[in-house]
Amino acid sequence: MKTVQTSACLLAGAIISTISPMASAEMLWSSFSLSYLNGSDYEVGDPDRQVVTVEHASGHSWGDNFFFLDRLQSANGSSENYMELSPRLSLSSLTGSELSFGPVKDVLLAGTWESGEGFDNFLAGVGVSLDVPGFQYFNANLYRANNDKSSNDTQLTLTWGLPFALSDAEFLYDGFIDWTTSESDKASEMNFTSQLKWNAGKLIGTKAPVYVGVEYAYWTNKFGIDGVDERNPALLLKWHF
């Protein structure tokens, strides 16, 4: 176990050390937002929670990066923090060769650091950016996860953003799917969480979007606990800056 943990940490360090010298490279785009969720059907712990999320995503000539921090406040007075940091290093940029083919725009080294109350998980693997008609972005990552509190597993992650308009109204449907393998101490889990949002910012004259909408979490075997299934709609307000 310690050998696996050491290897994962070394790999994560290698990715970060590779990215660090390129931190001054060209930034192609960036997004920063603050969101608020209110839901009443959470599983594992208090079902009534409010969540404030700080989120940042950016694209660079070396790849891309995604970060978010959740502050969860339960109705019973308990609170917790959870964060993820997910850098991806473009192999096209690293090798100086164009690696696009078919719907694949690029192949990337992918890493994620998950940190919550009393645990840190490190994931490392490979990802692709896909060109899917109509989608603002569509990404797929395959990881091997080094988990702090349970057996290591394999995880497939899909993320997407689909903007669309109805008359003058602008909408965005985005989200993610995380699927993990079953291991000796946990069941296979699937977390399909998505948000349907309307840009209300046009009504108040903001340049950046101000979204109002709903998030729906369809999470089977939450946290790998067999039979614990979350079906949680939550009201959403999200400000982009």
Side-chain angles (χ1 to χ4, degrees):
M1 183 70 170
K2 290 184 178 179
T3 302
V4 175
Q5 291 176 335
T6 301
S7 299
C9 289
L10 288 174
L11 179 56
I15 294 174
I16 293 172
S17 64
T18 304
I19 290 175
S20 296
M22 294 185 287
S24 60
E26 182 183 2
M27 178 181 288
L28 306 177
W29 56 268
S30 67
S31 174
F32 178 80
S33 64
L34 180 67
S35 62
Y36 169 79
L37 285 170
N38 192 321
S40 300
D41 292 293
Y42 290 92
E43 294 290 342
V44 186
D46 195 322
D48 298 310
R49 301 177 199 175
Q50 300 179 72
V51 184
V52 174
T53 301
V54 176
E55 182 177 295
H56 181 263
S58 57
H60 306 260
S61 54
W62 51 260
D64 54 42
N65 189 41
F66 177 70
F67 167 81
F68 75 85
L69 171 65
D70 285 342
R71 174 67 175 180
L72 299 93
Q73 184 69 46
S74 298
N76 63 12
S78 64
S79 61
E80 60 181 299
N81 297 317
Y82 175 77
M83 60 80 68
E84 291 187 12
L85 175 64
S86 300
R88 300 197 307 169
L89 176 62
S90 165
L91 289 179
S92 293
S93 175
L94 185 64
T95 64
S97 301
E98 184 64 41
L99 297 180
S100 61
F101 57 93
V104 175
K105 296 191 293 184
D106 200 359
V107 181
L108 307 98
L109 295 178
T112 292
W113 170 28
E114 303 173 341
S115 184
E117 302 295 325
F119 74 90
D120 291 281
N121 300 333
F122 296 95
L123 293 73
V126 64
V128 291
S129 290
L130 300 172
D131 186 4
V132 180
F135 283 78
Q136 189 176 51
Y137 62 89
F138 201 112
N139 300 310
N141 299 324
L142 183 63
Y143 299 105
R144 184 61 181 171
N146 176 38
N147 297 313
D148 207 6
K149 299 296 185 179
S150 63
S151 296
N152 299 333
D153 57 12
T154 299
Q155 177 174 312
L156 173 65
T157 297
L158 305 177
T159 61
W160 68 89
L162 177 63
F164 63 96
L166 297 176
S167 187
D168 292 333
E170 298 177 353
F171 295 87
L172 178 63
Y173 177 63
D174 59 2
F176 69 88
I177 298 175
D178 284 340
W179 173 86
T180 65
T181 56
S182 61
E183 303 297 334
S184 60
D185 58 349
K186 60 181 180 179
S188 172
E189 59 181 303
M190 193 273 289
N191 182 358
F192 179 2
T193 296
S194 61
Q195 298 178 349
L196 179 60
K197 299 171 286 196
W198 165 59
N199 180 15
K202 294 180 67 175
L203 295 181
I204 56 178
T206 62
K207 293 183 179 180
V210 177
Y211 287 115
V212 177
V214 62
E215 176 181 282
Y216 186 73
Y218 184 96
W219 196 341
T220 300
N221 297 332
K222 185 174 183 179
F223 300 146
I225 305 172
D226 191 19
V228 176
D229 300 330
E230 182 172 290
R231 309 289 185 257
N232 183 37
L235 296 177
L236 167 71
L237 182 60
K238 188 171 187 176
W239 299 267
H240 280 262
F241 300 94

